[in-house]
Amino acid sequence: MANFNTHLNVAALLTGLSSASLVAAGHIELNTAIWLWFLGTMGGLLPDIDSDNSTSLDTIFNLFAFAIILIVMRYIIDEDMGDLSFLKVIAIPVVTYGVMKYGLRTIFERLTVHRGSCHSLLFLALCGLLTTQIIANVDGINSNKADSLAWLSGGFVFLGGFIHLLLDEIYSVDLRNIRIKRSFGTALKLVDLDNKLLLLGMMIAVGVLWTTTPEIETTLDMLCDWSMFTLV
């Protein structure tokens, strides 16, 4: 399978080209393109979070923990404005990071195996829809663009993850000896049938997220309109 640097570089290249194309078509602004590029690149590392000794696991969980800390701190600041002590400012991030690293991560490692449920299109759909929901509910985004930004954010997470799975399958073919390795077919799959309980939970989560997502028609209409696309 492809290594960490290959996944990172290829995902960054392809999602960067994709976000640049949206800018050239007049669909998004440059700052939005950079955000989508970041999400696509992180999505390119996402499937390997099921590897207990993976650099991708460390990177994704550290970024996720940092994002959760920012969300928690924003909530605390809004609730306790004017009554925010130095101890609270230090303790909340430390406790949050500890729960993420030694709690959630440990549980996640025990529930997953490498090239299991996380190496499936269902998992990518779950991550994409979850991202869509989070972005759609962030305060301060222009209401006219919130739905499109949410769907594009979730779509780039899915795209980055799909690139990862595709690379793993490509690396499963040894072109020098013209043979297919035993790992072929274990990465790019619709669902993982080995863990039925986890599969059921993911399917329910995807169903619930899909029924509560913002409307998608405006985003699809935008993506179908490339009349303003320019190369120079």
Side-chain angles (χ1 to χ4, degrees):
M1 61 182 170
N3 59 27
F4 175 83
N5 287 333
T6 300
H7 284 307
L8 178 65
N9 293 332
V10 175
L13 173 62
L14 295 182
T15 59
L17 289 174
S18 298
S19 61
S21 297
L22 293 176
V23 173
H27 297 328
I28 60 174
E29 299 176 353
L30 182 58
N31 59 339
T32 302
I34 294 174
W35 166 246
L36 296 178
W37 186 15
F38 167 76
L39 288 179
T41 303
M42 291 300 100
L45 305 177
L46 198 55
D48 272 351
I49 63 173
D50 60 10
S51 177
D52 294 350
N53 297 311
S54 170
T55 305
S56 298
L57 176 64
D58 293 333
T59 303
I60 292 294
F61 258 91
N62 285 337
L63 287 172
F64 187 45
F66 181 67
I68 295 298
I69 288 172
L70 290 179
I71 294 172
V72 171
M73 288 303 298
R74 178 177 178 179
Y75 175 79
I76 295 297
I77 290 173
D78 289 342
E79 292 293 319
D80 297 339
M81 183 62 70
D83 187 31
L84 200 61
S85 66
F86 175 77
L87 181 60
K88 188 178 292 186
V89 171
I90 297 299
I92 291 173
V94 171
V95 171
T96 303
Y97 183 80
V99 170
M100 292 292 300
K101 183 175 180 62
Y102 300 106
L104 183 61
R105 175 171 171 169
T106 301
I107 295 173
F108 186 85
E109 289 175 353
R110 292 181 178 178
L111 287 176
T112 60
V113 294
H114 190 46
R115 291 215 171 188
S117 298
C118 295
H119 277 71
S120 69
L121 296 179
L122 178 63
F123 174 74
L124 297 184
L126 175 61
C127 293
L129 287 172
L130 185 59
T131 303
T132 299
Q133 285 283 21
I134 292 173
I135 300 302
N137 289 281
V138 171
D139 294 332
I141 299 178
N142 187 321
S143 58
N144 296 326
K145 299 180 180 180
D147 290 351
S148 293
L149 177 60
W151 277 113
L152 288 174
S153 297
F156 267 74
V157 169
F158 182 91
L159 175 61
F162 182 77
I163 292 170
H164 180 112
L165 301 188
L166 192 59
L167 278 173
D168 278 348
E169 292 297 347
I170 292 173
Y171 271 71
S172 295
V173 179
D174 188 345
L175 296 178
R176 290 174 298 180
N177 295 326
I178 315 299
R179 67 184 181 88
I180 296 178
K181 301 177 182 178
R182 293 178 58 186
S183 58
F184 183 77
T186 60
L188 185 54
K189 53 183 177 288
L190 182 60
V191 297
D192 177 46
L193 298 175
D194 291 337
N195 192 330
K196 303 294 193 303
L197 185 60
L198 186 58
L199 171 60
L200 178 61
M202 290 171 62
M203 292 178 65
I204 293 174
V206 167
V208 171
L209 287 171
W210 177 258
T211 59
T212 56
T213 51
E215 64 89 18
I216 194 174
E217 287 76 14
T218 303
T219 306
L220 293 177
D221 291 341
M222 178 192 71
L223 294 176
C224 291
D225 181 13
W226 290 83
S227 58
M228 298 178 62
F229 181 80
T230 56
L231 288 175
V232 293

